[in-house]
Amino acid sequence: MNLKRLLAGCGTMALVLSVVSPALAQVDLGQFTADGSVEAGAIPQPVPYNDVAKYQEYRDLAQQFIVPKLQLILGDKAENYYVQFDAVDVAQKNQMYSLRFGEYGLLDVQAKFIEIPHYFSDHVASTPYDESGGNFSLSSKPTATGAALQSWLGENSKPFDMSLLEGVADINVRYTPTPSLSFSANMDLQNPTGQQPFGGSFLFGANPGTFKVNELWVPTQYYTYNFGTGMEYSKNGWLIGFQYQGSFFVDDYSTLTWDNPATAGVGSACTDSATFTSTGMTGPCQGRAAMYPNNQAHNFIVNGAGQLPFNTHVMGSLEYGFWLQNAPFIPLTSNSTMRQSLGSVGAPNSLGGDVRPFFANFTIDSNPIEPLDLKATYSYFDYDNQTPAITFTGVKSLNDVSDPQTPFTAYPFSFSEQDLSFEPTYRITDTLAAHFNIKWQTNHNAGLEVLQQDQTSYGPSLDWNPYPWLTFRADYQHAHRDSPGYNNNRTSLVQVLGGDPGAIEELQDLRRFDEATLDVNQTSLYASVQPIETLTLFTAFSYDDDNYPSTDFGLQHTSSYSPSVGASWDPLAGVHLFSDYAWQAYDWNTRSLDESTIPAPKPPAGKTPAWTAIGRNQGSNIDFGMDIAIPPNRILPRPSHLKLQYTYTVGSNSTHQAGDTAAATSAIDYPSVGSQFQELIVQYEYELRDNVAINIGYYFTHYGENNFMVDQMGNYMPHASANSTFLGNTVMSPYNANVGFITLKYKF
């Protein structure tokens, strides 16, 4: 784009000017002054994408010539106007530019542009498909299944690049014509462009248990436009403001369609069938999926604040919005045979999505006497979903054309939440302060398994500073959430019109963890000590414990704890050393039921055989480094600077299961999974002149894993089911990366 070329050209021109300019701390430009810096250099041997795809997932190391930083500051000598321009990684795919200018006290304008690359695969992924505008087609198809299909994939798959580049641009303007009145406006644009992995299994199988997977990529091109404007007026300690915020989402690709490789014929030669067979290669000729729908949101906000007697401050805000989405529905299948046999699918043309959120917040903070501070907050949020209930009729799946048609209705989900909190703080002595927090929360739901949830949380905390060099903090919180009237099979969730005698209801003893009765206990401790002026030691510990007392099946209990220690030491002037270590663990256990051995009707009256699963996710992290300012000496006649940092992180995940021997499938322990990460950063800067320095840096990164779940496919999976095709994506593979750079930095 022209903007990229212009900014890259500015960076090159600044570098040329910096080389020929004299060594000045500031440049005089008539009525204005300019200062700043420019840094440019090279990566002697860029790391190729296909060797360390994960390392370069969010980086751009393809270019040998780099401009990692550029800064320019302009101002008039009367100090009325200002301009500041900053650029990072100029002309690279992970570049960032920011510009700020204005007149002090009157106008402030800030603009920013950022690009965020995301490399999924560089000639590692492969596919037999050709794509155009969201339509994936095959120029040929396999004539047999099994090994012949895999052979066909190997011959027809083409490697391709799969990456995403997201551009974010925003501008904020604030105008203050008088000290009491100000106006503001903002605009933001987000534009992801490229390809992302996507898996589809729509009607490519005899039934949901044997659907065949087609792993494709999503051609991504969508835009999010955010706009806002507002004003504020303040007088005599009071403030009132009005704002409007709007958001619009536009997707260039509303629907994906792709040829089914497991049906005979290509294009017009293919004939849809209502019956899928893996050996006869019959079924739908194409699959279909809807992508993100276009939508918009509008929010109107009023806020205010003021001062009252007794050192009391009040703040409040009201917000009301319209969130709209009315994208048209696509037919449930492109299979012409099924659509003819089913007749007209009874669904509305579009959703008619309409949500009216309302939010109110009021806070009062008072310090009536010196040692006492009181704070109270009330908030109310209403998610008013006015989307109409949607009724579908004549809906059947592949190979089920002879079954009775079962209409059903999906109801919109709505809820409201009220929160009231009270937080008094009392300074008992000059060195000891006690704080207490109590909060009440009520949720009213429509369309969930529980219609009302009440939660209370409370607990004390203490801050103690007995000496200037010693600090202690302790905090405890207890919470209880009650969920009376929990109903797993509430008909207002998805109602089956007319009933379905073959339907299997959800087990009554199962509780969804986000809605079930819950008891929470949280504790945190912190201490820091400074035995000498240049040394600080600190430690912290946190523990969370969640129990689900009313849940017989499902998640039963979780707990997490994390101790950490660290130190910061400045043994000499210009020398800073630091180190910290942290360990984390998350434990959980669930109980599940094997229903396969229990005859209908379900849910069963008995609760055996059952499994119990226990798992732990744990990890540790160590980080240490130094920052040394080296003064001039006999070997190095000018000042220099050395930075070094090393990070090591390791994590693991294990799951152990035990169960009733009468179960149809014996309980097994899953293989442990985990990852390891190391990074070493070394950077040395030496001053060649007062305003010229050379930077030399080196990065080493290691990533390793043992994860049986990660997709390690090549062109195709040798163990793939006969009628599936896959992208070969090894972006998660372990790697070692070595990157060095050298740059010249000039300040003016």
Side-chain angles (χ1 to χ4, degrees):
M1 63 171 56
N2 292 333
L3 176 61
K4 289 185 186 178
R5 294 172 183 160
L6 174 62
L7 294 175
C10 291
T12 304
M13 182 60 67
L15 178 61
V16 173
L17 291 176
S18 68
V19 173
V20 300
S21 298
L24 300 176
Q26 193 176 74
V27 179
D28 197 330
L29 302 174
Q31 296 298 317
F32 294 87
T33 60
D35 61 275
S37 65
V38 61
E39 184 176 358
I43 301 174
Q45 185 178 0
V47 180
Y49 293 144
N50 54 359
D51 285 350
V52 287
K54 183 63 179 176
Y55 176 72
Q56 297 205 204
E57 190 172 0
Y58 299 102
R59 298 175 174 91
D60 180 11
L61 297 179
Q63 304 179 35
Q64 290 183 298
F65 178 75
I66 59 173
V67 182
K69 189 172 182 180
L70 186 150
Q71 183 180 69
L72 177 65
I73 301 174
L74 299 174
D76 66 320
K77 294 180 179 179
E79 297 185 349
N80 292 323
Y81 305 97
Y82 58 90
V83 178
Q84 180 172 338
F85 173 73
D86 293 275
V88 177
D89 294 328
V90 176
Q92 293 181 242
K93 289 185 178 179
N94 54 335
Q95 60 192 332
M96 180 182 74
Y97 305 95
S98 65
L99 175 66
R100 184 174 185 178
F101 64 91
E103 181 178 351
Y104 289 107
L106 181 64
L107 176 67
D108 184 69
V109 180
Q110 299 182 47
K112 184 178 292 185
F113 174 73
I114 303 173
E115 279 191 337
I116 306 171
H118 190 169
Y119 300 101
F120 296 100
S121 168
D122 182 72
H123 274 69
V124 177
S126 62
T127 179
Y129 282 97
D130 296 313
E131 183 269 330
S132 175
N135 298 313
F136 293 82
S137 59
L138 293 170
S139 58
S140 65
K141 288 188 178 182
T143 57
T145 60
L149 173 60
Q150 293 183 353
S151 176
W152 174 86
L153 285 172
E155 295 172 358
N156 291 272
S157 292
K158 304 173 291 291
F160 73 103
D161 300 339
M162 184 162 52
S163 63
L164 197 67
L165 185 63
E166 181 171 3
V168 180
D170 64 71
I171 182 170
N172 295 272
V173 180
R174 188 173 185 87
Y175 176 62
T176 311
T178 70
S180 300
L181 182 64
S182 65
F183 299 90
S184 62
N186 67 277
M187 182 177 67
D188 175 87
L189 168 65
Q190 301 175 33
N191 175 216
T193 303
Q195 306 89 24
Q196 301 180 71
F198 175 78
S201 60
F202 297 87
L203 302 182
F204 281 9
N207 55 66
T210 60
F211 278 174
K212 304 304 179 183
V213 176
N214 244 29
E215 189 178 37
L216 309 173
W217 70 94
V218 178
T220 302
Q221 179 72 276
Y222 57 79
Y223 309 85
T224 303
Y225 304 92
N226 299 311
F227 303 92
T229 184
M231 63 170 293
E232 286 185 355
Y233 180 78
S234 60
K235 192 76 172 181
N236 299 326
W238 288 85
L239 177 146
I240 186 169
F242 304 91
Q243 293 183 49
Y244 162 76
Q245 296 290 335
S247 180
F248 302 83
F249 176 83
V250 180
D251 193 345
D252 282 356
Y253 301 101
S254 60
T255 306
L256 296 183
T257 60
W258 60 93
D259 288 349
N260 184 355
T263 54
V266 178
S268 60
C270 181
T271 302
D272 281 324
S273 171
T275 303
F276 177 89
T277 59
S278 59
T279 56
M281 301 187 73
T282 63
C285 292
Q286 287 187 327
R288 171 182 284 163
M291 300 312 296
Y292 304 125
N294 296 348
N295 59 79
Q296 56 183 283
H298 307 270
N299 293 294
F300 303 89
I301 307 164
V302 179
N303 54 66
Q307 292 180 320
L308 297 175
F310 303 104
N311 199 20
T312 301
H313 301 81
V314 293
M315 295 164 285
S317 65
L318 297 173
E319 181 174 349
Y320 187 73
F322 300 87
W323 300 352
L324 308 174
Q325 192 267 91
N326 197 33
F329 288 138
I330 66 171
L332 297 177
T333 177
S334 61
N335 189 332
S336 57
T337 303
M338 284 192 65
R339 295 176 67 182
Q340 292 173 2
S341 64
L342 295 178
S344 175
V345 177
N349 293 326
S350 58
L351 175 67
D354 185 356
V355 175
R356 311 283 180 88
F358 173 74
F359 176 74
N361 183 79
F362 179 76
T363 299
I364 181 169
D365 194 336
S366 180
N367 185 213
I369 58 176
E370 181 61 29
L372 179 64
D373 185 79
L374 303 173
K375 182 179 179 181
T377 300
Y378 171 78
S379 64
Y380 174 79
F381 179 71
D382 182 29
Y383 185 84
D384 180 15
N385 193 345
Q386 299 189 16
T387 304
I390 304 297
T391 299
F392 299 87
T393 60
V395 177
K396 295 182 179 182
S397 62
L398 193 66
N399 286 6
D400 289 336
V401 293
S402 61
D403 287 350
Q405 296 183 1
T406 304
F408 65 88
T409 299
Y411 290 88
F413 163 66
S414 300
F415 72 94
S416 63
E417 178 179 307
Q418 297 185 73
D419 297 270
L420 177 63
S421 64
F422 181 58
E423 303 175 36
T425 300
Y426 188 78
R427 186 162 291 280
I428 302 171
T429 67
D430 291 340
T431 61
L432 178 63
H435 176 83
F436 191 81
N437 174 71
I438 182 169
K439 181 177 181 180
W440 298 272
Q441 183 182 90
T442 298
N443 286 73
H444 296 278
N445 307 308
L448 288 181
E449 286 77 11
V450 59
L451 299 181
Q452 178 172 326
Q453 295 173 285
D454 301 305
Q455 179 168 315
T456 303
S457 59
Y458 55 86
S461 60
L462 293 173
D463 260 310
W464 186 33
N465 301 96
Y467 304 101
W469 49 270
L470 185 61
T471 298
F472 293 101
R473 292 176 190 153
D475 177 85
Y476 171 76
Q477 291 285 310
H478 173 77
H480 174 76
R481 181 179 67 200
D482 191 18
S483 299
Y486 192 105
N487 185 344
N488 298 49
N489 303 290
R490 194 177 303 281
T491 57
S492 61
L493 302 178
V494 176
Q495 180 176 341
V496 178
L497 303 180
D500 182 358
I504 299 177
E505 294 184 334
E506 189 171 287
L507 184 65
Q508 290 289 348
D509 295 302
L510 176 66
R511 297 290 184 268
R512 300 182 186 274
F513 72 93
D514 58 330
E515 301 177 51
T517 300
L518 172 65
D519 286 315
V520 179
N521 291 283
Q522 297 177 324
T523 302
S524 64
L525 301 170
Y526 174 82
S528 67
V529 59
Q530 194 174 17
I532 57 177
E533 185 177 354
T534 59
L535 177 63
T536 301
L537 307 174
F538 54 88
T539 183
F541 175 79
S542 62
Y543 176 74
D544 293 353
D545 184 84
D546 295 359
N547 284 288
Y548 300 86
S550 300
T551 302
D552 192 4
F553 289 94
L555 186 63
Q556 307 286 297
H557 171 260
T558 69
S559 62
S560 63
Y561 33 95
S562 176
S564 63
V565 294
S568 176
W569 186 29
D570 301 322
L572 300 170
V575 178
H576 175 65
L577 308 177
F578 62 90
S579 177
D580 60 79
Y581 172 80
W583 184 81
Q584 309 89 27
Y586 175 80
D587 294 329
W588 55 269
N589 65 280
T590 64
R591 190 164 182 262
S592 57
L593 179 68
D594 175 25
E595 298 186 44
S596 62
T597 61
I598 302 173
K602 299 177 182 180
K607 299 175 182 178
T608 57
W611 296 281
T612 297
I614 300 174
R616 162 170 284 196
N617 303 340
Q618 72 177 38
S620 58
N621 178 84
I622 186 169
D623 183 76
F624 62 84
M626 61 182 180
D627 192 338
I628 303 176
I630 305 173
N633 53 72
R634 293 181 179 179
I635 301 176
L636 302 172
R638 299 191 64 87
S640 58
H641 205 106
L642 175 65
K643 294 182 179 180
L644 183 148
Q645 183 172 349
Y646 174 77
T647 301
Y648 176 81
T649 302
V650 62
S652 64
N653 182 339
S654 59
T655 301
H656 303 283
Q657 294 194 123
D660 196 307
T661 56
T665 303
S666 301
I668 60 172
D669 291 339
Y670 288 102
S672 295
V673 299
S675 62
Q676 181 190 94
F677 177 80
Q678 298 182 60
E679 184 175 62
L680 173 66
I681 302 175
V682 181
Q683 184 173 344
Y684 177 73
E685 179 178 309
Y686 180 74
E687 288 189 8
L688 300 175
R689 296 173 58 185
D690 289 341
N691 57 344
V692 180
I694 185 171
N695 274 320
I696 301 174
Y698 169 73
Y699 298 142
F700 167 76
T701 305
H702 165 78
Y703 173 78
E705 67 176 357
N706 57 305
N707 190 344
F708 73 99
M709 298 176 65
V710 170
D711 185 351
Q712 297 286 0
M713 299 179 293
N715 288 336
Y716 54 87
M717 289 180 62
H719 57 280
S721 55
N723 297 299
S724 296
T725 61
F726 298 88
L727 298 176
N729 185 356
T730 59
V731 70
M732 294 293 291
S733 59
Y735 65 83
N736 288 302
N738 295 273
V739 180
F741 70 89
I742 181 169
T743 62
L744 189 67
K745 184 176 182 180
Y746 176 77
K747 298 180 182 179
F748 59 94

